[in-house]
Amino acid sequence: MIRWLGFGCLLAGVVRMGMTPTSLIWGFNSFPELLCGLIACLLMAVCSLAFYLVQARETGAFGFATAVAIMIGNALTACAVWSIMARGEPEATTAIEGVTQAVMSVGVLGGALVLSILSWRAKVLPRWAVVCMVSMLPAMAIPLDYTFAFFWGLGYVVPGYCIWKGRMLRRTAGTASGISA
């Protein structure tokens, strides 16, 4: 099961990265870009659990809480994307939408930072995969809106591939490949 969640992370990352060319071709907040974002958010909301499961022993309850925060942040992002698709209005118009955006930002961005630190210390995922996980945070400083989606996707593609293919630094006891099927 963990391998398939890893594949789901890889797929979610590829779809998220698909937002970059669709934004360039059809424009920012176009239907194809938002569709990629919605699908990616839904996959990320489910499959982010893989980041915790492969290093559960090393990250403990704090790693679980961080993974849940990322999952909630992605689920709320999916709701926000759906709202933009339905209404065509990207900005928050009510207090509840503003609070929701704050919670999803803390969940996704804060969770990505904390999970990257925990993953670095756990030494289960390869270091380059952990660097890719945190690459979305400095990408926020790039003034081009469409580049953030590429780095957000990259942060799922690389660790997702490592989980799917069993390319871990530390093997989990009890299985030959390090992760259960």
Side-chain angles (χ1 to χ4, degrees), residues 30-61:
S30 63
F31 182 78
E33 180 196 18
L34 293 172
L35 184 61
C36 285
L38 180 66
I39 293 168
C41 285
L42 293 173
L43 285 170
M44 288 174 172
V46 173
C47 297
S48 293
L49 188 60
F51 296 149
Y52 165 73
L53 290 175
V54 296
Q55 52 194 356
R57 184 171 39 104
E58 292 82 5
T59 60

PDB file of all heavy atoms in Angstrom, residues 30-61:
ATOM      1  N   SER A  30      -6.998  29.722 -15.629  1.00  0.00           N
ATOM      2  CA  SER A  30      -7.807  29.162 -16.709  1.00  0.00           C
ATOM      3  C   SER A  30      -8.364  27.818 -16.248  1.00  0.00           C
ATOM      4  O   SER A  30      -7.878  27.216 -15.286  1.00  0.00           O
ATOM      5  CB  SER A  30      -6.957  28.974 -17.969  1.00  0.00           C
ATOM      6  OG  SER A  30      -5.917  28.033 -17.715  1.00  0.00           O
ATOM      7  N   PHE A  31      -9.392  27.343 -16.922  1.00  0.00           N
ATOM      8  CA  PHE A  31     -10.008  26.070 -16.538  1.00  0.00           C
ATOM      9  C   PHE A  31      -9.000  24.912 -16.561  1.00  0.00           C
ATOM     10  O   PHE A  31      -8.963  24.129 -15.603  1.00  0.00           O
ATOM     11  CB  PHE A  31     -11.218  25.753 -17.423  1.00  0.00           C
ATOM     12  CG  PHE A  31     -11.902  24.487 -17.022  1.00  0.00           C
ATOM     13  CD1 PHE A  31     -12.751  24.461 -15.918  1.00  0.00           C
ATOM     14  CD2 PHE A  31     -11.676  23.308 -17.707  1.00  0.00           C
ATOM     15  CE1 PHE A  31     -13.370  23.282 -15.519  1.00  0.00           C
ATOM     16  CE2 PHE A  31     -12.282  22.120 -17.320  1.00  0.00           C
ATOM     17  CZ  PHE A  31     -13.139  22.107 -16.226  1.00  0.00           C
ATOM     18  N   PRO A  32      -8.158  24.765 -17.621  1.00  0.00           N
ATOM     19  CA  PRO A  32      -7.199  23.649 -17.598  1.00  0.00           C
ATOM     20  C   PRO A  32      -6.215  23.732 -16.424  1.00  0.00           C
ATOM     21  O   PRO A  32      -5.879  22.717 -15.815  1.00  0.00           O
ATOM     22  CB  PRO A  32      -6.474  23.756 -18.935  1.00  0.00           C
ATOM     23  CG  PRO A  32      -7.399  24.503 -19.821  1.00  0.00           C
ATOM     24  CD  PRO A  32      -8.146  25.443 -18.926  1.00  0.00           C
ATOM     25  N   GLU A  33      -5.763  24.934 -16.106  1.00  0.00           N
ATOM     26  CA  GLU A  33      -4.833  25.085 -14.986  1.00  0.00           C
ATOM     27  C   GLU A  33      -5.517  24.727 -13.666  1.00  0.00           C
ATOM     28  O   GLU A  33      -4.963  23.998 -12.843  1.00  0.00           O
ATOM     29  CB  GLU A  33      -4.298  26.514 -14.910  1.00  0.00           C
ATOM     30  CG  GLU A  33      -3.326  26.682 -13.757  1.00  0.00           C
ATOM     31  CD  GLU A  33      -3.059  28.118 -13.377  1.00  0.00           C
ATOM     32  OE1 GLU A  33      -3.846  29.006 -13.754  1.00  0.00           O
ATOM     33  OE2 GLU A  33      -2.067  28.339 -12.672  1.00  0.00           O
ATOM     34  N   LEU A  34      -6.730  25.221 -13.475  1.00  0.00           N
ATOM     35  CA  LEU A  34      -7.460  24.932 -12.244  1.00  0.00           C
ATOM     36  C   LEU A  34      -7.829  23.460 -12.131  1.00  0.00           C
ATOM     37  O   LEU A  34      -7.825  22.896 -11.030  1.00  0.00           O
ATOM     38  CB  LEU A  34      -8.707  25.806 -12.151  1.00  0.00           C
ATOM     39  CG  LEU A  34      -8.444  27.307 -11.974  1.00  0.00           C
ATOM     40  CD1 LEU A  34      -9.743  28.090 -12.085  1.00  0.00           C
ATOM     41  CD2 LEU A  34      -7.737  27.589 -10.667  1.00  0.00           C
ATOM     42  N   LEU A  35      -8.126  22.822 -13.243  1.00  0.00           N
ATOM     43  CA  LEU A  35      -8.424  21.384 -13.227  1.00  0.00           C
ATOM     44  C   LEU A  35      -7.196  20.596 -12.781  1.00  0.00           C
ATOM     45  O   LEU A  35      -7.310  19.677 -11.958  1.00  0.00           O
ATOM     46  CB  LEU A  35      -8.914  20.916 -14.597  1.00  0.00           C
ATOM     47  CG  LEU A  35      -9.351  19.459 -14.680  1.00  0.00           C
ATOM     48  CD1 LEU A  35     -10.511  19.185 -13.732  1.00  0.00           C
ATOM     49  CD2 LEU A  35      -9.734  19.109 -16.108  1.00  0.00           C
ATOM     50  N   CYS A  36      -6.032  20.956 -13.320  1.00  0.00           N
ATOM     51  CA  CYS A  36      -4.787  20.312 -12.865  1.00  0.00           C
ATOM     52  C   CYS A  36      -4.600  20.529 -11.368  1.00  0.00           C
ATOM     53  O   CYS A  36      -4.245  19.607 -10.635  1.00  0.00           O
ATOM     54  CB  CYS A  36      -3.580  20.872 -13.621  1.00  0.00           C
ATOM     55  SG  CYS A  36      -3.397  20.297 -15.299  1.00  0.00           S
ATOM     56  N   GLY A  37      -4.848  21.760 -10.909  1.00  0.00           N
ATOM     57  CA  GLY A  37      -4.702  22.073  -9.492  1.00  0.00           C
ATOM     58  C   GLY A  37      -5.658  21.281  -8.615  1.00  0.00           C
ATOM     59  O   GLY A  37      -5.276  20.788  -7.555  1.00  0.00           O
ATOM     60  N   LEU A  38      -6.890  21.148  -9.049  1.00  0.00           N
ATOM     61  CA  LEU A  38      -7.889  20.410  -8.285  1.00  0.00           C
ATOM     62  C   LEU A  38      -7.513  18.930  -8.172  1.00  0.00           C
ATOM     63  O   LEU A  38      -7.525  18.360  -7.073  1.00  0.00           O
ATOM     64  CB  LEU A  38      -9.273  20.554  -8.918  1.00  0.00           C
ATOM     65  CG  LEU A  38     -10.411  19.822  -8.217  1.00  0.00           C
ATOM     66  CD1 LEU A  38     -10.657  20.417  -6.837  1.00  0.00           C
ATOM     67  CD2 LEU A  38     -11.676  19.865  -9.052  1.00  0.00           C
ATOM     68  N   ILE A  39      -7.163  18.327  -9.284  1.00  0.00           N
ATOM     69  CA  ILE A  39      -6.780  16.906  -9.273  1.00  0.00           C
ATOM     70  C   ILE A  39      -5.544  16.696  -8.408  1.00  0.00           C
ATOM     71  O   ILE A  39      -5.472  15.763  -7.602  1.00  0.00           O
ATOM     72  CB  ILE A  39      -6.566  16.389 -10.714  1.00  0.00           C
ATOM     73  CG1 ILE A  39      -7.891  16.384 -11.469  1.00  0.00           C
ATOM     74  CG2 ILE A  39      -5.935  15.004 -10.703  1.00  0.00           C
ATOM     75  CD1 ILE A  39      -7.747  16.170 -12.960  1.00  0.00           C
ATOM     76  N   ALA A  40      -4.565  17.590  -8.553  1.00  0.00           N
ATOM     77  CA  ALA A  40      -3.337  17.475  -7.762  1.00  0.00           C
ATOM     78  C   ALA A  40      -3.628  17.607  -6.273  1.00  0.00           C
ATOM     79  O   ALA A  40      -3.109  16.830  -5.465  1.00  0.00           O
ATOM     80  CB  ALA A  40      -2.328  18.536  -8.203  1.00  0.00           C
ATOM     81  N   CYS A  41      -4.458  18.568  -5.905  1.00  0.00           N
ATOM     82  CA  CYS A  41      -4.795  18.764  -4.486  1.00  0.00           C
ATOM     83  C   CYS A  41      -5.476  17.535  -3.896  1.00  0.00           C
ATOM     84  O   CYS A  41      -5.171  17.129  -2.769  1.00  0.00           O
ATOM     85  CB  CYS A  41      -5.697  19.983  -4.313  1.00  0.00           C
ATOM     86  SG  CYS A  41      -4.845  21.542  -4.462  1.00  0.00           S
ATOM     87  N   LEU A  42      -6.396  16.950  -4.639  1.00  0.00           N
ATOM     88  CA  LEU A  42      -7.096  15.770  -4.139  1.00  0.00           C
ATOM     89  C   LEU A  42      -6.139  14.592  -3.963  1.00  0.00           C
ATOM     90  O   LEU A  42      -6.185  13.889  -2.946  1.00  0.00           O
ATOM     91  CB  LEU A  42      -8.248  15.407  -5.078  1.00  0.00           C
ATOM     92  CG  LEU A  42      -9.393  16.428  -5.121  1.00  0.00           C
ATOM     93  CD1 LEU A  42     -10.397  16.059  -6.215  1.00  0.00           C
ATOM     94  CD2 LEU A  42     -10.070  16.563  -3.774  1.00  0.00           C
ATOM     95  N   LEU A  43      -5.254  14.389  -4.946  1.00  0.00           N
ATOM     96  CA  LEU A  43      -4.260  13.321  -4.826  1.00  0.00           C
ATOM     97  C   LEU A  43      -3.290  13.595  -3.673  1.00  0.00           C
ATOM     98  O   LEU A  43      -2.944  12.694  -2.917  1.00  0.00           O
ATOM     99  CB  LEU A  43      -3.488  13.157  -6.136  1.00  0.00           C
ATOM    100  CG  LEU A  43      -4.219  12.471  -7.274  1.00  0.00           C
ATOM    101  CD1 LEU A  43      -3.438  12.594  -8.577  1.00  0.00           C
ATOM    102  CD2 LEU A  43      -4.457  11.004  -6.937  1.00  0.00           C
ATOM    103  N   MET A  44      -2.860  14.845  -3.544  1.00  0.00           N
ATOM    104  CA  MET A  44      -1.929  15.206  -2.472  1.00  0.00           C
ATOM    105  C   MET A  44      -2.574  15.054  -1.099  1.00  0.00           C
ATOM    106  O   MET A  44      -1.907  14.661  -0.139  1.00  0.00           O
ATOM    107  CB  MET A  44      -1.429  16.642  -2.661  1.00  0.00           C
ATOM    108  CG  MET A  44      -0.464  16.805  -3.806  1.00  0.00           C
ATOM    109  SD  MET A  44      -0.075  18.548  -4.040  1.00  0.00           S
ATOM    110  CE  MET A  44       1.234  18.438  -5.245  1.00  0.00           C
ATOM    111  N   ALA A  45      -3.858  15.365  -1.012  1.00  0.00           N
ATOM    112  CA  ALA A  45      -4.561  15.250   0.266  1.00  0.00           C
ATOM    113  C   ALA A  45      -4.596  13.802   0.752  1.00  0.00           C
ATOM    114  O   ALA A  45      -4.534  13.545   1.956  1.00  0.00           O
ATOM    115  CB  ALA A  45      -5.978  15.799   0.148  1.00  0.00           C
ATOM    116  N   VAL A  46      -4.661  12.869  -0.165  1.00  0.00           N
ATOM    117  CA  VAL A  46      -4.708  11.458   0.208  1.00  0.00           C
ATOM    118  C   VAL A  46      -3.303  10.864   0.325  1.00  0.00           C
ATOM    119  O   VAL A  46      -2.978  10.194   1.305  1.00  0.00           O
ATOM    120  CB  VAL A  46      -5.534  10.648  -0.825  1.00  0.00           C
ATOM    121  CG1 VAL A  46      -5.457   9.170  -0.539  1.00  0.00           C
ATOM    122  CG2 VAL A  46      -6.970  11.130  -0.835  1.00  0.00           C
ATOM    123  N   CYS A  47      -2.459  11.130  -0.643  1.00  0.00           N
ATOM    124  CA  CYS A  47      -1.184  10.436  -0.762  1.00  0.00           C
ATOM    125  C   CYS A  47      -0.065  11.019   0.090  1.00  0.00           C
ATOM    126  O   CYS A  47       0.978  10.383   0.238  1.00  0.00           O
ATOM    127  CB  CYS A  47      -0.760  10.388  -2.224  1.00  0.00           C
ATOM    128  SG  CYS A  47      -1.919   9.443  -3.234  1.00  0.00           S
ATOM    129  N   SER A  48      -0.247  12.202   0.670  1.00  0.00           N
ATOM    130  CA  SER A  48       0.797  12.785   1.534  1.00  0.00           C
ATOM    131  C   SER A  48       1.081  11.904   2.739  1.00  0.00           C
ATOM    132  O   SER A  48       2.136  12.015   3.355  1.00  0.00           O
ATOM    133  CB  SER A  48       0.388  14.182   1.994  1.00  0.00           C
ATOM    134  OG  SER A  48       0.345  15.072   0.922  1.00  0.00           O
ATOM    135  N   LEU A  49       0.165  11.029   3.064  1.00  0.00           N
ATOM    136  CA  LEU A  49       0.363  10.103   4.173  1.00  0.00           C
ATOM    137  C   LEU A  49       1.595   9.218   3.937  1.00  0.00           C
ATOM    138  O   LEU A  49       2.242   8.787   4.893  1.00  0.00           O
ATOM    139  CB  LEU A  49      -0.893   9.247   4.375  1.00  0.00           C
ATOM    140  CG  LEU A  49      -0.936   8.370   5.606  1.00  0.00           C
ATOM    141  CD1 LEU A  49      -0.834   9.216   6.870  1.00  0.00           C
ATOM    142  CD2 LEU A  49      -2.208   7.554   5.624  1.00  0.00           C
ATOM    143  N   ALA A  50       1.943   8.969   2.697  1.00  0.00           N
ATOM    144  CA  ALA A  50       3.113   8.136   2.382  1.00  0.00           C
ATOM    145  C   ALA A  50       4.391   8.724   2.957  1.00  0.00           C
ATOM    146  O   ALA A  50       5.277   7.984   3.398  1.00  0.00           O
ATOM    147  CB  ALA A  50       3.252   7.974   0.869  1.00  0.00           C
ATOM    148  N   PHE A  51       4.500  10.069   2.974  1.00  0.00           N
ATOM    149  CA  PHE A  51       5.699  10.702   3.513  1.00  0.00           C
ATOM    150  C   PHE A  51       5.893  10.352   4.981  1.00  0.00           C
ATOM    151  O   PHE A  51       7.014  10.213   5.453  1.00  0.00           O
ATOM    152  CB  PHE A  51       5.634  12.226   3.364  1.00  0.00           C
ATOM    153  CG  PHE A  51       5.603  12.708   1.936  1.00  0.00           C
ATOM    154  CD1 PHE A  51       4.940  13.866   1.615  1.00  0.00           C
ATOM    155  CD2 PHE A  51       6.254  12.021   0.921  1.00  0.00           C
ATOM    156  CE1 PHE A  51       4.914  14.340   0.310  1.00  0.00           C
ATOM    157  CE2 PHE A  51       6.229  12.473  -0.380  1.00  0.00           C
ATOM    158  CZ  PHE A  51       5.563  13.628  -0.683  1.00  0.00           C
ATOM    159  N   TYR A  52       4.789  10.213   5.696  1.00  0.00           N
ATOM    160  CA  TYR A  52       4.871   9.817   7.102  1.00  0.00           C
ATOM    161  C   TYR A  52       5.102   8.315   7.239  1.00  0.00           C
ATOM    162  O   TYR A  52       5.937   7.888   8.029  1.00  0.00           O
ATOM    163  CB  TYR A  52       3.601  10.217   7.850  1.00  0.00           C
ATOM    164  CG  TYR A  52       3.487   9.520   9.183  1.00  0.00           C
ATOM    165  CD1 TYR A  52       4.311   9.885  10.246  1.00  0.00           C
ATOM    166  CD2 TYR A  52       2.582   8.484   9.382  1.00  0.00           C
ATOM    167  CE1 TYR A  52       4.229   9.233  11.456  1.00  0.00           C
ATOM    168  CE2 TYR A  52       2.494   7.839  10.599  1.00  0.00           C
ATOM    169  CZ  TYR A  52       3.324   8.215  11.627  1.00  0.00           C
ATOM    170  OH  TYR A  52       3.252   7.563  12.828  1.00  0.00           O
ATOM    171  N   LEU A  53       4.367   7.510   6.491  1.00  0.00           N
ATOM    172  CA  LEU A  53       4.400   6.061   6.689  1.00  0.00           C
ATOM    173  C   LEU A  53       5.785   5.458   6.487  1.00  0.00           C
ATOM    174  O   LEU A  53       6.147   4.516   7.193  1.00  0.00           O
ATOM    175  CB  LEU A  53       3.388   5.378   5.769  1.00  0.00           C
ATOM    176  CG  LEU A  53       1.918   5.610   6.120  1.00  0.00           C
ATOM    177  CD1 LEU A  53       1.008   4.977   5.071  1.00  0.00           C
ATOM    178  CD2 LEU A  53       1.596   5.084   7.508  1.00  0.00           C
ATOM    179  N   VAL A  54       6.571   5.985   5.554  1.00  0.00           N
ATOM    180  CA  VAL A  54       7.896   5.398   5.315  1.00  0.00           C
ATOM    181  C   VAL A  54       8.887   5.748   6.410  1.00  0.00           C
ATOM    182  O   VAL A  54       9.926   5.105   6.520  1.00  0.00           O
ATOM    183  CB  VAL A  54       8.476   5.797   3.936  1.00  0.00           C
ATOM    184  CG1 VAL A  54       7.632   5.260   2.814  1.00  0.00           C
ATOM    185  CG2 VAL A  54       8.685   7.287   3.821  1.00  0.00           C
ATOM    186  N   GLN A  55       8.571   6.745   7.213  1.00  0.00           N
ATOM    187  CA  GLN A  55       9.489   7.132   8.279  1.00  0.00           C
ATOM    188  C   GLN A  55       8.758   7.331   9.602  1.00  0.00           C
ATOM    189  O   GLN A  55       9.141   8.146  10.428  1.00  0.00           O
ATOM    190  CB  GLN A  55      10.249   8.389   7.878  1.00  0.00           C
ATOM    191  CG  GLN A  55       9.389   9.519   7.418  1.00  0.00           C
ATOM    192  CD  GLN A  55      10.183  10.613   6.717  1.00  0.00           C
ATOM    193  OE1 GLN A  55      11.416  10.570   6.632  1.00  0.00           O
ATOM    194  NE2 GLN A  55       9.489  11.618   6.241  1.00  0.00           N
ATOM    195  N   ALA A  56       7.712   6.547   9.805  1.00  0.00           N
ATOM    196  CA  ALA A  56       6.875   6.676  11.002  1.00  0.00           C
ATOM    197  C   ALA A  56       7.671   6.440  12.282  1.00  0.00           C
ATOM    198  O   ALA A  56       7.511   7.167  13.266  1.00  0.00           O
ATOM    199  CB  ALA A  56       5.698   5.710  10.937  1.00  0.00           C
ATOM    200  N   ARG A  57       8.511   5.446  12.281  1.00  0.00           N
ATOM    201  CA  ARG A  57       9.300   5.131  13.480  1.00  0.00           C
ATOM    202  C   ARG A  57      10.235   6.288  13.833  1.00  0.00           C
ATOM    203  O   ARG A  57      10.404   6.613  14.997  1.00  0.00           O
ATOM    204  CB  ARG A  57      10.103   3.846  13.241  1.00  0.00           C
ATOM    205  CG  ARG A  57      10.882   3.375  14.446  1.00  0.00           C
ATOM    206  CD  ARG A  57      11.473   1.984  14.234  1.00  0.00           C
ATOM    207  NE  ARG A  57      11.980   1.781  12.896  1.00  0.00           N
ATOM    208  CZ  ARG A  57      13.280   1.780  12.579  1.00  0.00           C
ATOM    209  NH1 ARG A  57      14.194   1.979  13.502  1.00  0.00           N
ATOM    210  NH2 ARG A  57      13.661   1.563  11.335  1.00  0.00           N
ATOM    211  N   GLU A  58      10.792   6.929  12.813  1.00  0.00           N
ATOM    212  CA  GLU A  58      11.765   7.989  13.046  1.00  0.00           C
ATOM    213  C   GLU A  58      11.120   9.341  13.373  1.00  0.00           C
ATOM    214  O   GLU A  58      11.690  10.134  14.111  1.00  0.00           O
ATOM    215  CB  GLU A  58      12.675   8.164  11.818  1.00  0.00           C
ATOM    216  CG  GLU A  58      13.613   7.011  11.567  1.00  0.00           C
ATOM    217  CD  GLU A  58      12.966   5.842  10.826  1.00  0.00           C
ATOM    218  OE1 GLU A  58      11.791   5.968  10.415  1.00  0.00           O
ATOM    219  OE2 GLU A  58      13.627   4.814  10.657  1.00  0.00           O
ATOM    220  N   THR A  59       9.942   9.615  12.826  1.00  0.00           N
ATOM    221  CA  THR A  59       9.324  10.931  13.021  1.00  0.00           C
ATOM    222  C   THR A  59       8.251  10.934  14.099  1.00  0.00           C
ATOM    223  O   THR A  59       7.920  11.997  14.614  1.00  0.00           O
ATOM    224  CB  THR A  59       8.720  11.459  11.702  1.00  0.00           C
ATOM    225  OG1 THR A  59       7.718  10.558  11.246  1.00  0.00           O
ATOM    226  CG2 THR A  59       9.789  11.642  10.641  1.00  0.00           C
ATOM    227  N   GLY A  60       7.699   9.787  14.416  1.00  0.00           N
ATOM    228  CA  GLY A  60       6.753   9.666  15.520  1.00  0.00           C
ATOM    229  C   GLY A  60       5.457  10.442  15.338  1.00  0.00           C
ATOM    230  O   GLY A  60       5.013  10.719  14.219  1.00  0.00           O
ATOM    231  N   ALA A  61       4.881  10.814  16.471  1.00  0.00           N
ATOM    232  CA  ALA A  61       3.587  11.497  16.473  1.00  0.00           C
ATOM    233  C   ALA A  61       3.683  12.883  15.838  1.00  0.00           C
ATOM    234  O   ALA A  61       2.735  13.342  15.196  1.00  0.00           O
ATOM    235  CB  ALA A  61       3.056  11.610  17.898  1.00  0.00           C
TER     236      ALA A  61
END
